[in-house]
Amino acid sequence: MSTGNIRVGVIGTGGMGTRHAVNIHRFVGGATVSAVYDLDQGHANQAAAQCGNARVFDDPIKLINDNSIDAVVIASPDGTHADMTLACLKAGKPVLCEKPLATRAEDAVKVLEAEVAIGRKLIAVGFMRRFDPQHVAVKNMAMSGEIGKPLLWKGVHRNAQIAFGITGATILINSAGHDFDSARFLLSEEVQDVSVRGLKSRPELHQDTKDLLLIQMTMSNNCLATAEVYVNDEYGYEVSAELVCQCGTAITEQPDKTLVRAKSHRGFYVASDWLSPFQDAYVAELIDWVDSLQKGQPFHGASAWDGYVTMMVTTAAIQSLNTGAVVPVKLIEKPALYQ
Ligand code: ISE
C-alpha cells in the first residue's frame, strides 16, 4: 500500500456511511474520500458534497475496481457486506467493512477462507467499541490485575426504536454482534456456548417480533457473560459493559454526560442514536485503519477472524432462541494469519 495519501471509496451513504465519509474528510489526515456510492444516488450526491465533492459512482463494483481507489469502506445494508468484501479481496484492496461481516455463517466462512487464501490481512471489521476510550479503560483495568481475574462480562445494549416487526434473528445479527464482540474483546476469550431468550415488548407488535433479548454465554476459560439487548426502549440509546472481577468491578460510562436542569428535572440527556456517543471511537478506528495502510503496521481493531467468530456466535444464538437449547459455538481452528 502507498505511503502517501490513501484514496478511500465509501459504499453506502446512509447514516453510518455518511458519518464515516465525513469523519475521514474532517478528522483523518493522510486519507481523502475520493468516491462514494449509494443505491439512492441523491444520498450519494449529498454525502459527496459534504466531503470535498467526491466522485459519485453508480455501481459499487466499478468503485471497488477503479484504479483511483486505494481502499474501501463498506456501510451498505448488512446483507450486501459479504459480497462487497469479497469483491474488495478480488481487487486486492483493503476494506473496512461495517459489522456484521456477513449475515449467514456460510458467507462469513467464504470471506474468511478468501482472505486466508490471499495470505494477507486486507479486512478490518467495524466493531468500533474496541476503540471507545471507556471500553479500553475497562480492558486495561482487568489486564492490570488490580481487581483480580475477570469472572463475568455484563452488557446492556438499548436502542430507542427499531423497525416495526423486527425478528430476534435480525437483532442478533445487526445489534447483538457488538455485544458478542465486546465480551470476547474485554475477556480476551472465545464464546463456548450461548443461550438466548426473547420476548415481544408490546402486544401490538408483529407476532414474530422479539425486541428484548436476554443472552447468556459460557466463555472458553469458564468466565460467564450476559447481555440484555432491548431495541424499543423509547427513551434513547445506551450501551454499557461491566467486568466483574475477583475483587472489584469496572464499568464503562457514557463520556458525553452533561448535567441538565430543566422542567422540574435534574439529570442527564440520553443520546437518541449511537453516532454521537461513539463519535470518538469511530474517528479513532478510522485513524488507526488509515495509519495501518500508510505505515504497514497492524490494524488494532477487529479482523476477518473476529467478524467470522461473531457470525458463528450469532448463528448459535439464533438456534438457541428458536429451540430454547444451550447451543455450542463451533469454530474452525484459528488460521495462522490471525495468531
Ligand atoms: C446499529 O447498526 C449499530 O451499530 C448500533 O450500535 C446498534 O445499537 C444498533 O442496534 C444497530 O442497528
Side-chain angles (χ1 to χ4, degrees):
M1 172 59 47
S2 99
T3 50
N5 185 56
I6 306 290
R7 298 163 302 176
V8 179
V10 178
I11 295 180
T13 54
M16 190 68 257
T18 298
R19 178 62 69 119
H20 282 316
V22 170
N23 279 344
I24 293 171
H25 180 64
R26 293 205 188 138
F27 304 118
V28 184
T32 309
V33 180
S34 294
V36 296
Y37 162 82
D38 197 283
L39 194 57
D40 181 331
Q41 291 277 287
H43 270 163
N45 289 332
Q46 278 171 18
Q50 290 178 67
C51 33
N53 287 320
R55 197 169 148 199
V56 177
F57 276 71
D58 61 3
D59 177 343
I61 303 298
K62 277 195 210 151
L63 180 153
I64 290 168
N65 290 324
D66 197 276
N67 285 336
S68 71
I69 299 301
D70 299 317
V72 179
V73 170
I74 297 173
S76 44
D78 292 358
T80 65
H81 289 183
D83 282 348
M84 293 295 148
T85 303
L86 286 169
C88 291
L89 293 183
K90 201 166 160 209
K93 298 204 175 159
V95 51
L96 171 60
C97 179
E98 256 309 319
K99 42 62 39 189
L101 179 59
T103 52
R104 300 184 316 171
E106 55 268 41
D107 293 334
V109 172
K110 228 193 267 177
V111 173
L112 187 78
E113 285 177 350
E115 189 177 61
V116 170
I118 293 173
R120 253 182 339 131
K121 281 167 131 183
L122 288 174
I123 301 172
V125 181
F127 286 120
M128 79 300 184
R129 291 187 197 173
R130 290 176 179 239
F131 291 92
D132 170 50
Q134 301 291 320
H135 283 73
V136 172
V138 168
K139 186 173 173 84
N140 289 343
M141 175 53 76
M143 282 170 56
S144 74
E146 244 177 86
I147 52 175
K149 180 183 154 336
L151 304 171
L152 171 67
W153 173 93
K154 279 165 78 176
V156 172
H157 182 173
R158 299 191 186 130
N159 287 189
Q161 194 181 35
I162 263 196
F164 180 79
I166 196 157
T167 64
T170 317
I171 295 171
L172 287 166
I173 293 169
N174 179 262
S175 305
H178 279 301
D179 305 294
F180 300 141
D181 188 66
S182 172
R184 294 178 63 242
F185 172 65
L186 290 179
L187 291 169
S188 307
E189 289 184 16
E190 288 303 4
V191 182
Q192 223 168 36
D193 63 47
V194 58
S195 157
V196 185
R197 299 288 177 275
L199 58 73
K200 178 169 85 141
S201 64
R202 295 156 178 78
E204 66 275 18
L205 295 177
H206 185 277
Q207 58 182 14
D208 294 335
T209 306
K210 291 238 161 60
D211 52 352
L212 170 58
L213 302 179
L214 211 49
I215 301 170
Q216 291 192 349
M217 295 176 271
T218 312
M219 307 299 288
S220 51
N221 204 15
N222 284 326
C223 284
L224 298 174
T226 179
E228 169 214 313
V229 183
Y230 179 34
V231 296
N232 269 325
D233 71 35
E234 291 186 17
Y235 74 83
Y237 177 77
E238 271 190 319
V239 159
S240 75
E242 179 174 19
L243 280 186
V244 178
C245 301
Q246 285 165 320
C247 47
T249 81
I251 186 165
T252 61
E253 273 294 336
Q254 298 287 356
D256 57 345
K257 286 200 160 160
T258 306
L259 183 66
V260 177
R261 295 179 176 85
K263 298 182 186 158
S264 314
H265 179 80
R266 178 178 176 276
F268 299 105
Y269 280 123
V270 179
S272 58
D273 67 27
W274 52 93
L275 293 175
S276 50
F278 281 111
Q279 167 67 3
D280 290 351
Y282 286 121
V283 171
E285 178 180 70
L286 286 166
I287 289 175
D288 191 81
W289 181 57
V290 167
D291 267 4
S292 76
L293 302 181
Q294 273 195 323
K295 300 175 186 158
Q297 64 193 27
F299 172 61
H300 296 95
S303 65
W305 172 255
D306 300 305
Y308 154 80
V309 172
T310 300
M311 194 57 228
M312 301 316 279
V313 178
T314 303
T315 305
I318 293 171
Q319 199 186 327
S320 173
L321 183 64
N322 291 338
T323 61
V326 176
V327 180
V329 175
K330 293 190 195 106
L331 301 179
I332 61 163
E333 201 179 317
K334 196 173 189 178
L337 187 60
Y338 310 103
Q339 296 293 350

